[in-house]
Amino acid sequence: MSRLIKVAAAQLGPIQRTDDRKSVVQRLITLLREAHSQKAELVVFPELALTTFFPRWFVEDISTADHWYETQMPSEITRPLFDEAKKLGIGFCLGYAELTPQGERFNTQILVERDGSTIAKYRKVHIPGHEHHEPDRPFQHAERYYFKPSDEGFGVWKAFGGRIGMMICNDRRWPESYRVMGLQGVEMILCGYNTPLQYVPDPTQDPLQSFHNALVMQSGAYQNGTFVVGVAKGGVEEGVDSLADSSIIAPSGEILAKTSTSGDEVVTAICDLDWCNNYKNTLFDFDRYRRPEVYGRITAQRGSIIE
Ligand code: CDT
């Protein structure tokens, strides 16, 4: 038996500060059409796919940053993407900054089915970087100023003939993200990211960015018997070079497809969701082998306790 779905990782090159939303939506539509011409049924776009990665700048009055956020989805400007996807019968996953009617700010991703219906919204749980202005840095990573961490956790939704989960960028470095979805039987995790090649707090990590990206996603896929689709906004954006390396990873942990540029690029893979069972029903048969009774610390404490 097999449950096949062809998925596309639709990587974006840089979006500069002056690029307007309309031109970005046009780029997304071009990628969507390319994915459709390759017979993909689901296209995954990066984190904050509609704008430049604005947390690299600090503003004293956060309301002056409101223009980076979406207050509705779809909006007048993003509607053409939704219309084109529905017309082509292709689903997509899109990351954007969300400003709610209550004034809350989230780093958000939505999942849209092939019939145009929005079936899920995920808001980033692990928010990296810093809360305050750090003027000595060459650029800011003030995500903790611009986004509230979501308390909604990691859901898994029935869609595309399988069980689909979502996470965003820094979430992929945390094994708990994958495991919470693994415990809901996830078969494909969709993850957009923006990862600067320069990690200011510890430059020894700079040459390892590509390695760490692959390490965490391949491990998360294998240890939970799930596909992982990681999609970058890569290249030099406003002077900051970011990792590309978008990839589609199998439940075996093997990379099935990977981008070769740091610009707008589509790669696809045919994913048999039943492949997940080879791992879920054997080595990672959670119900048989896990020992939650000795994992209490994982939810009982946040940092390490050294006695
Ligand atoms: N966008 C995002 O979460 N980026 C982080 C950068 C490292 S923390 C400054 C990441 O985990 O890739």
Side-chain angles (χ1 to χ4, degrees), residues 47-48 53 55 107 124 126-130 137 139-141 143 168-174 192-196 198-201 209 213 243:
E47 174 192 32
L48 300 180
F53 190 78
N107 190 335
K124 190 172 181 176
H126 299 98
I127 309 288
H130 49 101
R137 285 174 170 257
F139 57 91
Q140 305 292 299
H141 196 109
E143 271 197 72
I168 301 178
C169 196
N170 191 258
D171 290 323
R172 76 195 189 287
R173 301 187 193 273
W174 300 90
Y193 61 88
N194 283 259
T195 297
Q198 184 181 3
Y199 182 58
V200 177
Q209 290 293 354
N213 181 54
L243 182 71

Side-chain angles (χ1 to χ4, degrees), residues 17 53-60 128-146 194-196 198-201 237-240 242:
R17 188 178 192 135
F53 190 78
F54 63 87
R56 73 168 63 89
W57 298 289
F58 191 86
V59 291
E60 286 299 333
H130 49 101
E131 291 83 355
H132 305 292
H133 193 207
E134 297 190 4
D136 292 339
R137 285 174 170 257
F139 57 91
Q140 305 292 299
H141 196 109
E143 271 197 72
R144 293 177 71 85
Y145 176 67
Y146 286 109
N194 283 259
T195 297
Q198 184 181 3
Y199 182 58
V200 177
E237 193 179 84
E238 296 294 339
V240 177
S242 290

Side-chain angles (χ1 to χ4, degrees), residues 7-219:
V7 63
Q11 177 178 284
L12 279 170
I15 300 174
Q16 306 304 344
R17 188 178 192 135
T18 50
D19 295 348
D20 65 9
R21 292 271 211 301
K22 208 169 161 203
S23 68
V24 176
V25 168
Q26 205 46 56
R27 281 168 68 185
L28 298 176
I29 291 173
T30 300
L31 290 167
L32 187 90
R33 287 182 179 143
E34 172 59 29
H36 179 256
S37 76
Q38 294 186 35
K39 305 212 170 354
E41 294 148 85
L42 169 61
V43 188
V44 185
F45 294 114
E47 174 192 32
L48 300 180
L50 296 171
T51 65
T52 198
F53 190 78
F54 63 87
R56 73 168 63 89
W57 298 289
F58 191 86
V59 291
E60 286 299 333
D61 175 0
I62 200 166
S63 69
T64 62
D66 282 358
H67 62 100
W68 297 122
Y69 296 78
E70 310 301 316
T71 53
Q72 56 185 61
M73 189 59 66
S75 58
E76 204 184 314
I77 289 179
T78 51
R79 171 73 64 191
L81 174 68
F82 285 71
D83 289 348
E84 184 68 9
K86 187 173 175 182
K87 191 178 97 190
L88 298 175
I90 187 167
F92 66 93
C93 174
L94 177 74
Y96 62 92
E98 177 191 9
L99 178 57
T100 72
Q102 294 74 34
E104 292 183 309
R105 297 164 194 274
F106 295 105
N107 190 335
T108 298
Q109 235 173 231
I110 50 163
L111 181 60
V112 179
E113 252 290 9
R114 291 157 287 192
D115 63 1
S117 58
T118 298
I119 50 172
K121 178 186 274 191
Y122 166 75
R123 291 164 168 161
K124 190 172 181 176
V125 167
H126 299 98
I127 309 288
H130 49 101
E131 291 83 355
H132 305 292
H133 193 207
E134 297 190 4
D136 292 339
R137 285 174 170 257
F139 57 91
Q140 305 292 299
H141 196 109
E143 271 197 72
R144 293 177 71 85
Y145 176 67
Y146 286 109
F147 300 117
K148 181 179 175 184
S150 165
D151 294 329
E152 294 163 344
F154 298 95
V156 169
W157 296 272
K158 272 193 187 160
F160 299 92
R163 292 186 290 274
I164 311 292
M166 291 190 276
M167 62 184 179
I168 301 178
C169 196
N170 191 258
D171 290 323
R172 76 195 189 287
R173 301 187 193 273
W174 300 90
E176 294 87 349
S177 311
Y178 304 85
R179 184 48 54 91
V180 169
M181 288 186 263
L183 286 167
Q184 299 169 77
V186 74
E187 295 172 318
M188 182 176 282
I189 299 176
L190 315 178
C191 177
Y193 61 88
N194 283 259
T195 297
L197 291 174
Q198 184 181 3
Y199 182 58
V200 177
D202 176 16
T204 69
Q205 296 180 32
D206 294 356
L208 302 172
Q209 290 293 354
S210 173
F211 168 65
H212 288 157
N213 181 54
L215 179 72
V216 292
M217 292 198 294
Q218 290 182 255
S219 310

